[in-house]
Amino acid sequence: MYRVESLGEHIISFDHPILEVFAVVPAKSRSIYPPIQSLGAIRHNFPASPMPFVGRMDQCSELIASARDNPLTTLIGPPGVGKSSLARSVAMQWLDEAQSAYLVRIREGSTPESLRADLVNSVDPEASPSIALERLLGPGRTLILLDGCDQAPRASVELIRELARCNNAAVLVTARSPLCLEHEVVHEVGPLSLPEDSSERSALESEAVRAFLMTYEGFESSSDDLPIHDVARIVQMVDGNPAMIVASAIQVAAYGIDAVEKNLLFKSGSKSQASSFSRALEQTWGTLSESAATLLSRLSVLCPTWRASAAVAIGGLSATETLDLVRQLSDARLVEMIWETSDHLRFLMPPAVIAFAASKLSPADRLDCEARHFDHFLSYAEAAYSPEEPELEIKRLQLEYPNIRLALMRAIQARSTVAARFLSPLSRFWHRKRSPLEALTLCMGACNLMNRDDPWAAPALNVLGTHESASGYVERAKESHEKSFELAMGRSDPLTAGLAQSNLVGVHKQLGNLEGSIEAGELSVELLTEANDPVRLANALNNHSAVLHEIGRLAEAQDCAKRALALARKLKNPWLEAYCLGNLGEVAFDSGDSRNALHLFSEELRVGLSVKDMRSVALAVEGLARVEKSFGDQARVNWLSRFAEAIRDSHELHLSPSARRRLVQADSDDGAQFGVESLESQFDQLCQWYF
C-alpha cells in the first residue's frame, strides 16, 4: 500500500512559477526522499479560495508595499465588507514573490498561548511550542495574517507584540477597528465599486457586478441569460457589500432574479449596513436544504478546522451523505474544503459562521452533538497510540489536537469517566509538544472530579503524577503514583501498577531516595513482566538500569540494559532500540570497556538517523565525545561536542539534568563552529568516522 505525500509548493522553473510537488511513499513508512532541489520552496497554509478574487488591485499593491515596509498593517471595516478576502489576495501575491505566508484564524476565547501554538503548528508541526518565533520563521521575510482579531483582541495584541520583535515577520491584521499599536498602518476597506452610470459597459466594469457574475457562474453554466441591468440594481441595493453580493447570487441561482429583487426591496431600509453580514448569512441559510442546514448547525460544536470523519461522527449520517451535504455548504461559501497530505479531506468553517450556526442548534441537540464530539475524539486519541512508531503517534495527535483538547475540556465538565480516559493516550504528546502547565491543568481538571472507584482512575492518577513531577511538584507526584499503585493493585491491574512503580523510580531519585528507587524499579519489572507488555517492560528495565548504574552496581545495570535491548529488537522498534543502545553504551563506558562503548554509541547513532530521532542522535554524539576523550583525541571531542550542541539548538531539545552532566565541555578556542544552516552537511563527516 502506498500514500501520496505533499513535499510542498516549489518554484521548479521560471516558466511555471509555483507548483505543488508530491511523492509516492509506502503507507506505513516515513518519507525517504531527499529535499527538493528547486529554485525556492513556498511555505504557507492558505486553503484554496472558493472563488476568484475580484477587483481591488490598487489596494492589493498598496498593501503589499505597506507589508514590506511596516511591521504591522491593519485592515478595518464592517463585517462582510471583504477584509479577509482582500488580506488573502495580498498573501497570495506575497507568495508569488517566493516568500512565505501563514494564516492564523482568531477564535472567540483564544488565549495568547493558543494563538502562538496555532502559528507554530502552521509553520512547523514538529517544532517545540517554546521555539523563538524568529527562528521558527527562518530566513527571508514571512507574512503572518491574523484574521478576525475582534474575536480575541487582547490575545491578538500579545502575539502581535511578540512578532514585532522579529525582524523577519510582517503582520497583516483584519479587524473592525484599529488596534492602536505602535507602528500600526491602518487601511480602511470599503464596499466593492458600483456601476458609475446606467450603461451595460459601466456595469460590467464595476467590481460588484463582476463579483456577482462570478459567484452565479459557479452554480450555472452561463450568466448570459441574466439581465445585466437587474444585476446592477441588486448590487446597488446591497451597497456593494461582498458578503451580501455572494448571498444574493446564490439565491438568484436557486429562486430567480425577480424573487430575489422583490425580497431585497421588502427588506430594504429595515436593517442597517452594520448587520449586512448577518443578513447575508441568514439569506444563505435560507437557500440550504433542511439536511444541510441541520448538519451545519451540528458542526458548530467543532473547532474551525475538522476532518470529514468528524463530520460523519457528529452529523449522524453516512459518509456519502455527509460529504454530499458538506459540498453543498462549500458551494454556499459556508465552509472551505482543504485536501490533506494523508488523503483525508479537511474542512474549515469561519468563526462567524460557527457562531451563526450554533445559534440554530437546540439545547438538546447541542448536548447530543457535544457527546458525539468527545466520544469521536476519544476514540481517535486512543487509536493514535503507536508504541512501534511514536513519532507517527505524535503527528496524528498534533493534527487533531485543537478538537481533542476541546473534547477533553467538555468531558471534564460533563463526563468525568471519559475525561479520565483521555489522559493516557495524550500523556506522551503533552510531554513532547505542549507546555507543562497546560498538561498539568488539564490532568488536574480531569482527576479532581473523578470517582476513585472508576476503572480509569488509576491510569489517570499515574498520568497526573508524571506531569506533576515534570512541573516540579515532586511530593505531589509521589502521592499520585502511590495512590495509582494502590488502586491498580486493588483492581488486579499489574500493568498500571507496574507503570506507577516505574514512574516512582524517577520520583524517588529526585527526592534523593536511591534505595526507594531500587525497590520501585525491581517491583515495576516484576509487575510488567506479569502484565506481558514488552514495550513498557523495556522502558522499566532502562529506568531500573539507570539507577543501578548511578549507585555503581554496573554488572546488574548491564544485565537490565541488555534485556531491554533484546526486547526492543524483538519488537523491531528502532526508537526504543536507540534508547537502549545509548543506555548500554553508558554502562559499558563506565565499566571501562571503551571499545564496546564506541560500538554501542555508533549503533545508537545509526538507528537514530534511520528514523530521524534527533534526541537519540544528539545523545549518541555526546556519548561518542566521551569515548573519544578517553582516547585522547581532543580535536574530535571538540568537534563532536559542538555538533551535539548544534543539533539540540536546531531541534529545541530539552535535556534532563543527567544528560547535561554528561555533556563534554569543548575548548572555546578549538574545534569547528556549527550553525543551523550548515548542520545537514556535517552528517557526512560523522558517518565517515563511525559507519
Side-chain angles (χ1 to χ4, degrees), residues 394-410:
I394 299 298
K395 287 185 177 181
R396 287 170 178 165
L397 293 173
Q398 181 90 352
L399 185 65
E400 293 294 341
Y401 184 67
N403 268 306
I404 293 173
R405 178 175 55 189
L406 179 59
L408 172 55
M409 293 170 66
R410 285 173 173 161

Side-chain angles (χ1 to χ4, degrees), residues 484-493:
S484 173
F485 173 73
E486 178 186 335
L487 292 175
M489 292 300 289
R491 299 185 65 85
S492 300
D493 179 3

Side-chain angles (χ1 to χ4, degrees), residues 5-76:
E5 179 178 296
S6 173
L7 301 181
E9 292 184 333
H10 294 260
I11 300 176
I12 303 300
S13 72
F14 292 110
D15 296 330
H16 299 88
I18 299 177
L19 292 174
E20 186 168 9
V21 181
F22 296 89
V24 178
V25 298
K28 295 185 178 180
S29 173
R30 300 168 66 89
S31 176
I32 57 175
Y33 291 92
I36 296 293
Q37 298 298 312
S38 59
L39 299 176
I42 309 301
R43 302 190 303 153
H44 72 91
N45 67 331
F46 285 83
S49 176
M51 62 177 291
F53 183 73
V54 177
R56 306 194 200 256
M57 291 299 105
D58 291 341
Q59 281 183 282
C60 280
S61 300
E62 184 180 351
L63 289 168
I64 284 283
S66 176
R68 287 198 199 101
D69 300 336
N70 301 286
L72 173 61
T73 304
T74 302
L75 306 184
I76 65 169

Side-chain angles (χ1 to χ4, degrees), residues 528-540:
L528 291 171
T529 301
E530 179 185 347
N532 195 26
D533 188 317
V535 174
R536 291 185 171 96
L537 175 58
N539 286 324

Side-chain angles (χ1 to χ4, degrees), residues 17 62 104 118 169 471 543 581 598 650-651:
E62 184 180 351
V104 178
D118 288 344
S471 301
N543 290 344
L581 285 165
L598 182 69
S650 64
H651 291 83

